[in-house]
Amino acid sequence: MTNMLRIAGLAKRYGSVRALEGANVEAAAGEIHAILGENGAGKSTMIKILAGVTPADAGEVTLDGTRLALGRPARADRAGVRTAFQELSTVPGLTVAESLLFRREPSLALGFVRRRELNRHASELLSRLGLAHIDVRARIDELGLGERQLLEVAKALRDPARVLVLDEPTSALSTEDSAWVLGQARRAADAGAVVLFITHRLAEVRAAADRLTVLRGGVDVLTGATEDFGDDELIAAMLGRRIERLYAERTAPRSDAVLVVRGLRVGGRVGPLDLDARAGEILGIGGLQGQGQRDLLMALGGARRWLDGSAELNGAPFHPLSPREALRRRVALVPEDRQREGLLLGHSVQANVTLAALAQFVRHGVLDVRKETLAARSVVARVGLAEQRLPDAANTLSGGNQQKVVLAKALLSDPLVLLLYDCTRGVDVGTKAEIFALMAELASAGATILYYSSDLSELVHMCDRVAVMVEGRIRSVLESDELSEQAILRVALAEAEHYRSAPA
């Protein structure tokens, strides 16, 4: 059969770790084909092989009956394979235009870039894709994770594709931006491309994918038309077991307030706002994406400067000037971008886990390595990460296991208040269930958790209350008996519309 992408017998090892063990996928031109599996199932390794970033140990990839000579990104590019990576390939020091047209910059004879022409070409590309609101002159490191993810997809759409690979392209996006990505995937398929779509969101699979393949342990274990499988069947295939409960059972929070915030202002967009969080409470921070939720949690975690306001932690003044100071007060932050903000990727799992708590293991200026190792073993066990991974570099782990390392680092400080920003982004359903169980365990022990998620269903099922933010302020706090996705959206959209229509 022509017009078919065939991945046959693909195998790859990293030392003793078998990432792929003879995986097979077949997808036709004009088709959106979802690749599903838990973190570590081999999805990202398969994508890296297709993109030419990583060579395969065995197996082959054919397109329209012709074997693709991969192994280098340039070869994949010449073959028409366009990839939007989960872990973003945008370079922080560049502008949006420089990133979009990297190595394609219009230049003069002596190599100087024609800056005006560069910006014009980038603006035309973004306008064509419906992303004209992104400033091509902005630096990549000035953008939020969601905008960087949109740009990653835009780069993949820069040229016509024979194979379009979208690796977790919506993990940090709002509902509206996710719909844009799914629309672009459908347009590419309708233009004749094979579209491989990797996601952990089964609702997106239902909405967009014609067919699917499930990987587990580096092997394909299920394939067929999307409509032929129920969610429970897909989850069982991904995990090799059934999950009895995704959202953990909760106990009621206590009545005493642990964190009290008054008149907080951060940057030029957030506040003034008031906030009260109780012992044993999971307080959701909701609303449309980009309404100041990130700045709020970063400020409480000591990673953003306060312009104004006050706070009390267990009745004592609280105003952390750095994450280190927040940790000394037992306030731990799990940030949005685990790779750029939460991990030292080239260092071991153990070094990452204990980095923020090294003072606990130093005696007379000497690090007690045995004590450090015992603590690291204990805390990674709590997050469900095998202690055998302690010597491994963080950049060798799957996205879900990297998130577990960031969580373990936060837990080692024995947090009184835990600030979680979209900590289930890009992780599989099994890891989500483990994270939810850990959150419930911590809350039951009396910890206070402030939790932002881009998935409204998580806020509804895991939180005692949800504070809905609009334009940098808390517009409503929804109690448990009135929580629903519709209620959160009703407040967020109504208030947003009010601000758009208000006179300047």
Side-chain angles (χ1 to χ4, degrees):
M1 180 185 293
T2 58
N3 302 319
M4 176 74 73
L5 173 71
R6 279 196 173 93
I7 300 170
L10 218 56
K12 180 66 181 179
R13 284 187 178 222
Y14 296 97
S16 61
V17 178
R18 297 179 180 180
L20 289 172
E21 288 196 82
N24 306 282
V25 175
E26 290 191 357
E31 170 184 304
I32 298 179
H33 195 105
I35 308 294
L36 306 177
E38 64 179 328
N39 294 112
K43 305 185 303 298
S44 291
T45 300
M46 178 179 287
I47 297 319
K48 289 176 182 176
I49 291 172
L50 282 175
V53 174
T54 298
D57 295 336
E60 66 175 15
V61 179
T62 61
L63 183 60
D64 298 345
T66 301
R67 181 169 182 170
L68 299 185
L70 302 176
R72 296 178 184 173
R75 290 178 181 173
D77 189 61
R78 286 195 296 270
V81 180
R82 317 289 180 221
T83 305
F85 292 98
Q86 175 189 8
E87 305 303 349
L88 308 181
S89 62
T90 49
V91 180
L94 300 182
T95 67
V96 168
E98 290 166 343
S99 179
L100 285 173
L101 300 175
F102 186 63
R103 293 184 176 175
R104 299 188 180 193
E105 304 89 342
S107 60
L108 299 169
L110 295 178
F112 293 102
V113 174
R114 295 174 178 168
R115 183 70 52 183
R116 185 175 300 175
E117 190 175 345
L118 173 77
N119 290 339
R120 179 171 59 81
H121 288 335
S123 294
E124 289 172 353
L125 171 61
L126 292 181
S127 294
R128 173 170 64 85
L129 295 174
L131 299 175
H133 62 281
I134 299 178
D135 184 357
V136 298
R137 296 164 297 183
R139 285 166 52 97
I140 292 295
D141 48 6
E142 295 172 345
L143 304 180
L145 182 58
E147 286 183 310
R148 299 202 307 272
Q149 196 161 47
L150 290 174
L151 290 175
E152 184 74 15
V153 176
K155 283 177 61 179
L157 297 171
R158 185 175 53 191
D159 299 310
R162 297 176 71 197
V163 179
L164 176 63
V165 183
L166 301 173
D167 186 10
E168 290 286 345
T170 64
S171 60
L173 298 184
S174 66
T175 301
E176 182 180 5
D177 287 338
S178 295
W180 175 84
V181 172
L182 299 185
Q184 294 296 330
R186 178 50 62 192
R187 276 187 276 278
D190 289 345
V194 177
V195 179
L196 298 184
F197 180 53
I198 294 85
T199 183
H200 290 299
R201 296 177 173 177
L202 293 182
E204 292 181 346
V205 175
R206 300 277 174 221
D210 305 296
R211 289 171 51 81
L212 58 84
T213 295
V214 175
L215 298 182
R216 187 175 74 240
V219 180
D220 54 296
V221 296
L222 188 72
T223 191
T226 302
E227 62 188 16
D228 290 344
F229 307 105
D231 287 358
D232 289 345
E233 188 175 3
L234 293 177
I235 292 170
M238 285 187 274
L239 304 180
R241 67 186 190 279
R242 292 192 177 272
I243 290 183
E244 298 300 325
R245 180 185 295 274
L246 175 60
Y247 298 106
E249 291 187 355
R250 296 289 324 288
T251 57
R254 304 167 193 172
S255 59
D256 48 320
V258 170
L259 180 66
V260 177
V261 178
R262 294 291 179 264
L264 178 64
R265 292 175 56 238
V266 183
R269 296 183 58 246
V270 176
L273 60 80
D274 299 339
L275 185 72
D276 297 84
R278 307 162 186 160
E281 177 176 37
I282 299 179
L283 176 62
I285 308 297
L288 303 178
Q289 197 170 37
Q291 301 301 303
Q293 301 97 331
R294 171 181 162 84
D295 283 338
L296 169 61
L297 294 190
M298 294 285 275
L300 294 175
R304 284 282 187 278
R305 185 171 66 89
W306 301 18
L307 291 183
D308 198 7
S310 63
E312 290 185 351
L313 183 65
N314 271 348
F318 176 69
H319 186 166
L321 299 178
S322 69
R324 177 179 295 180
E325 185 176 340
L327 283 170
R328 280 200 297 266
R329 298 290 302 276
R330 297 173 59 198
V331 175
L333 170 69
V334 174
E336 174 183 26
D337 190 338
R338 56 180 168 259
Q339 291 214 339
R340 292 177 61 190
E341 299 171 333
L343 294 168
L344 297 175
L345 291 171
H347 290 66
S348 70
V349 169
Q350 176 164 315
N352 274 279
V353 166
T354 62
L355 181 64
L358 281 179
Q360 298 180 24
F361 317 115
V362 174
R363 185 177 177 84
H364 304 306
V366 178
L367 178 65
D368 187 334
V369 177
R370 180 177 177 277
K371 186 177 179 182
E372 178 199 14
T373 301
L374 289 174
R377 286 176 179 170
S378 175
V379 76
V380 297
R382 290 185 67 189
V383 299
L385 185 63
E387 68 175 63
Q388 289 84 355
R389 303 307 301 267
L390 286 174
D392 297 344
N395 58 12
T396 66
L397 303 183
S398 67
N401 282 337
Q402 287 181 349
Q403 191 67 289
K404 289 180 178 180
V405 174
V406 180
L407 284 166
K409 179 173 64 173
L411 292 185
L412 202 55
S413 66
D414 186 24
L416 181 69
V417 176
L418 186 59
L419 309 169
L420 301 178
Y421 192 96
D422 225 4
C423 64
T424 61
R425 179 184 68 84
V427 304
D428 62 76
V429 66
T431 302
K432 281 188 179 184
E434 292 177 315
I435 291 174
F436 294 149
L438 178 64
M439 290 169 61
E441 173 194 326
L442 292 168
S444 296
T448 301
I449 299 175
L450 272 62
Y451 179 52
Y452 168 77
S453 175
S454 54
D455 187 332
L456 295 183
S457 65
E458 295 183 5
L459 296 179
V460 171
H461 287 94
M462 285 302 299
C463 296
D464 300 291
R465 298 180 297 152
V466 173
V468 182
M469 290 189 67
V470 179
E471 297 287 333
R473 298 187 181 187
I474 294 174
R475 289 300 162 190
S476 181
V477 178
L478 300 175
E479 300 292 335
S480 58
D481 59 355
E482 54 185 346
L483 271 182
S484 68
E485 294 182 46
Q486 293 80 3
I488 296 172
L489 282 174
R490 193 178 301 119
V491 173
L493 293 173
E495 290 287 345
E497 182 59 33
H498 168 76
Y499 274 91
R500 281 194 292 269
S501 61

